[in-house]
Amino acid sequence: MNSKQEKIQKMLEMQHQFIAYEHEHGISPREYWAPAKDDKFADYPREFMDIANDVIDLAHSEKGSHR
């Protein structure tokens, strides 16, 4: 995953999967922020935030601004 657009697409796919799962099964705040290691979306918050931060960094690089 190299480009900003690819990262944004990955985030959208992750959101779609997460929301579909949440609508079907429900997810408590505890399950979201402190999930068990074997939960389906255990790495979701960290992975999503990592990709989002990459997108922000890429956007700043494109504009020549600093974060």
Side-chain angles (χ1 to χ4, degrees):
M1 208 175 2
N2 296 333
S3 76
K4 184 175 72 172
Q5 193 58 42
E6 289 172 326
K7 290 176 187 284
I8 292 169
Q9 186 60 40
K10 172 68 174 171
M11 291 170 64
L12 292 172
E13 290 169 11
M14 290 174 68
Q15 283 182 325
H16 178 73
Q17 292 172 2
F18 181 82
I19 291 168
Y21 183 85
E22 191 221 0
H23 284 183
E24 187 172 331
H25 303 284
I27 295 177
S28 71
R30 178 164 169 63
E31 290 170 311
Y32 181 82
W33 293 109
K37 291 179 183 175
D38 61 343
D39 283 351
K40 178 176 176 124
F41 290 97
D43 294 328
Y44 177 83
R46 181 198 47 77
E47 183 180 357
F48 191 88
M49 186 62 70
D50 288 347
I51 296 170
N53 284 330
D54 287 347
V55 169
I56 291 168
D57 291 342
L58 289 167
H60 279 289
S61 292
E62 288 175 3
K63 294 296 179 184
S65 60
H66 300 282
R67 179 176 165 198

